[in-house]
Amino acid sequence: MRFFMPLSLLACLLALLVLRGLATNEAFHDSRIAVSVDKTTVPDRLLKGGPVIDARGARNEDPVSYRIPDRTAVLSFDDGPSPEWTPKILEVLAARDVRADFFVTGAMTTRHPELIRKIVAGGHELGVHTFTHPDLVYQSRARISWELAQTQLALAGVAGVHSALFRPPYSSDATAMDDWNYPVIKYVGARGYLTAFIDRDTDDWRRPGVDAIVKAAMPAKPGAGALILLHDAGGDRTQTLAALVQIIDRLQAQGYRFTTISEALGASSATVPVHGFQLWAGKGFIWATGVAVLTLPVLVGLLAVVGFLNFGRFALMLVLAPLHARRSKRRDAWGPPVTEPVTVLVPAYNERECMANTLRSLAASDHPIEVIVVDDGSTDGTADIVEEMALPFVRLIRQANGGKSSALNTGIAAASHDLVVMMDGDTVFEPSTVRELVQPFGDPAIGAVAGNAKVGNRDSLIGAWQHIEYVLGHNLDRRMYDMLGVIPTIPGAVGAFRKEALRRVGGMSDDTLAEDTDITIAVLCDGWRIVYAERARAWTEAPASLQQLWSQRYRWSYGSMQAMWKHRGAVTSRGPAGRFGRLGLPLVVLFGVVAPLLAPLVDLFLLYGVLFGDAPITLTSWGGFILLQAALSWYAFRLDGEKPWHLISLPIQQLVYRQLMYIVLLQSAITAMTGGRLRWQKLRRTGEVAAPVEA
């Protein structure tokens, strides 16, 4: 169920893209045109017969052909309807009381339903000209059936009719039948269609001139019946329109009557009304297609927003990250060195596998510390391990399970020192971590410091993906936010606070599932500066399975949204809160929520482009995006002093991991908007991050 709603939404968006692609003849488009081959399987009587081939029912094995009667002309128009030319052609026909046949495509029908209704209202006959106008010689029987059925669905939806007439795209007169297209005619006939070729091809689509079109429309023999091909779509039809008037006038002067194919053959109209399920299925299809056509500009606009946000974020990172790196190299950036003792708080709930490693890493600290482990009702003997280690600088506090915020508040109240470092029970520090973390407190305006959380178990594929995310998506972001003075989150794995700052904002809150983001925003809004200490490295055990990763990120995403909503009043506040509300909060929402929520559109358009558009151009564009990501990731790794060989997995990360994070965020947004509640979910730890490792 966790995947159902987000994936359903993405599937609906992809379906809208495909429907729109069908309506514009982009999806499933095939521009191949067959060259005539031998005619060994085509009966000679059909090659020399009339333009209408009947291969229906019992005649399928032995088709017959029909000619248009003498002194009878049938005007037929292909490829429409066109909003520009079809109405003008209908006006000419109405003015001369002439009925004709319109062989329409499904794609044009869905886009211009009012014209189909106008054709039917004018007493004209409709014919099926496929949905996407492919040469059926190259198509499978399943594709041919789909082309016919989808066009009938469109006709039912826009006018409540079906048609028993069919004309193959790129067809000519009966003499053009060959060993490739003859089986198509028989297959279509077996499905109940009468196939209409032509007697006279005006080649009006070439725009050869009005006189040439009129001449080509004239019957080969005076008085002979003629099924004449013209076009009401596909380009400029000015010549066709002018020639149509002359064709009608000239043939009427020769005693010709104009009628439809069915009437010329003495049959009932091929355009028949439909009812029931077929009618409503057609209406549903047309409605969905209309929504898709209207939705596309919105999706394209949102895609542009994604591009603007991502490139804007990249630009800010490239400008601000180097400035932060240069500042970090200055040892006197914050004033005199901070040497006073520090309290390190370790809230712990069932951290048996990791606790010993955490405490051993703190024992190696080169800065004076006291450690307070707050056991929050563990049931796995975590507190027993702390007691057994009997480290002199460690105090253990046991309490009933009250959650992480409660455990931290207990530790804050018991802290002996003015500077408080917070870390998770599954994290290990390097010897210099605490010292590096507290140096910015040499500046009295600084109320909190964010450390550099790193993935310790990065040797697995999932770990490597998270390692890339931490370096690029977390640490590089923090450099940018630091320089803007709006760091939104101090990681729970490694962060430090002035005790006074914590007291002034009321300590840790359990209002959200992201207590680290909540307290960070609260401290910012209280007027304190928050900075990022890149040398204060902590090694944490990242989730080792996709299920655990989902649980963690779902909580992070949902909790962060809760924190943003909780502090929404900062937008209209004055002073430091207002600065964060009008600069930091919009940036966090845009870069952390809006852009990731809309980012799946990139992948949807990628998938659509590969399947239905120009695959080489689409893949080239995506490759360029990956190269940009790789360059930025390499730069982030270089700033962090990391070896870049983990970036080998970046393309796979973009195809798998990034999509998973999209779905997590989307599910979190759905939960938030529907008012759902999310419980804290404890991750299963292995304790494999045993000691600090070198970058």
Side-chain angles (χ1 to χ4, degrees), residues 213-234:
I213 294 173
V214 173
K215 181 178 179 181
M218 294 300 105
K221 296 180 180 179
L227 178 50
I228 303 167
L229 172 62
L230 296 159
H231 294 82
D232 64 330

Side-chain angles (χ1 to χ4, degrees), residues 60 84 169 325 339 422 444 487 489 544 548 556 589 607 614 658 691:
N60 192 254
E84 182 175 3
T339 59
M422 298 179 185
I487 289 180
T489 303
Q548 292 183 29
W556 284 6
V589 171
L607 184 60
D614 193 321
R658 188 164 56 92

